[in-house]
Amino acid sequence: MQRTNFAEMACSIARTLDVIGEPWSPLILRDVWAGVRRFDQLQADLGISRKVLTERLAHLVDHGVLERRPYDRRPRHEYHLTAKGAELVDLLMVMAGWGDRWLAGQAGPPVLYRHHACGEISAVELRCAHCGAPMHAGDVDLLPGPGAAVVPDEVDLPPGPGATGRPG
C-alpha cells in the first residue's frame, strides 16, 4: 500500500507527520531518549518486527532525527538523537502530558518529569516564547506565514484560523 507523501504540503504539521507520522517512530524516539539505543534492545522493548524496525530506523536516520554510532568492531550501531531529534522529543513530552491528563486513568501517569534546573517534579506546558504566558489552542490566531500557500489578493483573511482555516 502506497503511503501518502506529506513532505511537499505547505503545512508544518503535515511535514512533521511525514517524518514521524506512523505509530512506531514516536515510540522509537521515546526509547532512544530513555537510553534504549541498540537494535536488539529496541526490538525487545517495542515487540516490533526486525523488518519494520530496520525501515523506521533508516527513515529516522535519513531525516536527520537519529544518528548511527558504531559500538563494536562488528557492524553494530547504537542510535542517538540529533538536535533535530531532541526537539521532536519536546513534542512527545507534550503528547505524553495530554495522555497523562486524558488517558492515564486511576493509576496515574506512567512517567514523571523532574526538571533539572529546579529539581522539582513538573508537568510539561506550552508557553509563549515572548511573554512566558501559557499558550493553548484558544489563545492564538492562525495567520499565514511566509511559507504559506499563495492566498488570492481578493480573499480577506478572517481574524481567527487564518487563510486556510487549519493550523499549519
Side-chain angles (χ1 to χ4, degrees):
M1 182 168 153
Q2 184 68 15
R3 184 172 170 249
T4 301
N5 181 353
F6 295 111
E8 299 302 318
M9 288 185 178
C11 172
S12 295
I13 294 171
R15 291 174 182 162
T16 302
L17 287 173
D18 195 65
V19 176
I20 62 160
E22 60 73 48
W24 289 114
S25 291
L27 299 177
I28 292 167
L29 292 175
R30 174 207 64 194
D31 276 11
V32 170
W33 175 52
V36 181
R37 294 192 174 96
R38 295 183 179 179
F39 186 94
D40 291 338
Q41 294 170 329
L42 288 162
Q43 184 186 21
D45 188 61
L46 295 170
I48 187 174
S49 76
R50 294 182 71 80
K51 179 183 185 294
V52 171
L53 181 57
T54 299
E55 290 171 357
R56 297 320 313 151
L57 287 169
H59 179 81
L60 293 168
V61 168
D62 288 347
H63 281 83
V65 172
L66 293 177
E67 65 180 9
R68 291 171 40 151
R69 296 181 191 167
Y71 69 86
D72 69 13
R73 290 184 187 188
R74 293 178 281 173
R76 292 192 176 189
H77 297 89
E78 291 183 330
Y79 294 87
H80 292 263
L81 292 169
T82 62
K84 192 175 182 180
E87 282 195 37
L88 274 172
V89 171
D90 294 346
L91 170 66
L92 299 181
M93 290 172 62
V94 172
M95 289 174 63
W98 183 89
D100 291 347
R101 178 179 172 105
W102 296 102
L103 305 173
Q106 290 184 346
V111 174
L112 299 175
Y113 300 95
R114 183 184 356 250
H115 187 226
H116 289 171
C118 69
E120 295 294 325
I121 302 297
S122 185
V124 176
E125 291 184 4
L126 292 175
R127 299 213 167 261
C128 176
H130 292 279
C131 71
M135 197 164 96
H136 301 284
D139 301 326
V140 299
D141 292 324
L142 303 178
L143 306 171
V150 176
V151 179
D153 291 337
E154 63 272 2
V155 175
D156 289 330
L157 296 178
T164 62
R166 67 178 188 269

